[in-house]
Amino acid sequence: MTAKTPPSQTPKPAGWGPVSRHVAANVLRFRTDRGLSTTRLSATLKELGHSIPATGITRIEKGERRVDSDDLVALALALNVSPVALLLPPTEDSQSPVELTDKVTLPADAAWKWADGEAPHAPSERDRYGQILRFRLDSRPEWDRDPIRKAYNKVLSETSEKNVLAGQSGEWSMEGGQLVLRSDDGREIQRFGPQKDS
């Protein structure tokens, strides 16, 4: 008779990264929060057209079965959450570290902004070409891009005009949630984004 390895010490398959662990923990958390058995969750998934047997759900929660993109979407639908809520861990505060890969860890607020399509995972403080606006534009479907595209084009055209008139180049930076263009000598040229309440 051979000794059985406890589930917590079961070796993970190659490629088992931090997001896979977040998904496993979140499926268990949301399922139990909703008072669903694995059998009931499995039945709901089947009704949605994506079958995962109850044993498969148990294996997901124990970290023994990976979740592919189709599984992720079906589980999010069945648990009535966004896919992002399964991908990122719950954190105590906005600055708690969130591991995304073995080499990328972000504060929780930055991880959520990236996952929600609000900001790149590593925006530079000096953003010459409107990197944040470009990220937002590329992160939205075609039918929802027009307002972002208008803002992006406005930034680019007004910046070009001002730079030509001023005879200078400029640098972009994020300051207090606003995109700010400053001249090479540090003077503010233009500011974009939500206005601060006075």
Side-chain angles (χ1 to χ4, degrees):
M1 199 164 200
T2 59
K4 220 176 167 187
T5 307
S8 62
Q9 296 175 8
T10 303
K12 302 292 182 246
W16 188 269
V19 175
S20 294
R21 293 190 297 272
H22 301 328
V23 171
N26 285 329
V27 169
L28 174 61
R29 178 172 62 90
F30 284 120
R31 181 182 64 75
T32 55
D33 284 353
R34 283 152 176 68
L36 294 172
S37 66
T38 56
T39 303
R40 182 63 201 130
L41 179 55
S42 177
T44 302
L45 287 163
K46 188 173 183 178
E47 290 168 11
L48 293 169
H50 188 83
S51 292
I52 301 175
T55 55
I57 294 166
T58 300
R59 291 184 65 227
I60 288 169
E61 294 174 351
K62 288 182 175 182
E64 297 170 356
R65 178 189 185 275
R66 290 187 62 159
V67 171
D68 67 22
S69 53
D70 292 322
D71 294 339
L72 181 78
V73 169
L75 285 163
L77 288 168
L79 294 167
N80 198 29
V81 295
S82 75
V84 174
L86 294 179
L87 293 170
L88 299 178
T91 55
E92 292 296 318
D93 63 67
S94 65
Q95 295 306 301
S96 295
V98 172
E99 196 177 4
L100 298 175
T101 71
D102 291 336
K103 293 186 177 182
V104 177
T105 299
L106 298 176
D109 63 343
W112 278 92
K113 284 178 183 175
W114 167 74
D116 285 341
E118 292 179 30
H121 77 282
S124 66
E125 281 299 312
R126 313 271 312 160
D127 186 10
R128 183 181 294 269
Y129 302 108
Q131 174 192 17
I132 291 168
L133 287 174
R134 183 79 235 181
F135 175 84
R136 288 178 180 170
L137 181 65
D138 291 342
S139 297
R140 301 301 309 151
E142 186 63 37
W143 53 264
D144 192 33
R145 289 181 179 175
D146 198 45
I148 302 168
R149 184 180 287 117
K150 284 179 182 173
Y152 181 73
N153 289 336
K154 180 180 177 190
V155 168
L156 292 181
S157 65
E158 289 182 3
T159 299
S160 297
E161 291 168 14
K162 286 189 177 196
N163 285 350
V164 168
L165 290 172
Q168 63 192 6
S169 60
E171 293 282 335
W172 291 106
S173 64
M174 282 302 291
E175 299 175 16
Q178 295 182 314
L179 188 61
V180 178
L181 174 67
R182 292 193 177 276
S183 64
D184 290 337
D185 63 3
R187 288 178 294 116
E188 183 177 309
I189 298 173
Q190 194 154 5
R191 183 176 290 264
F192 301 89
Q195 298 298 314
K196 300 272 186 195
D197 293 332
S198 16

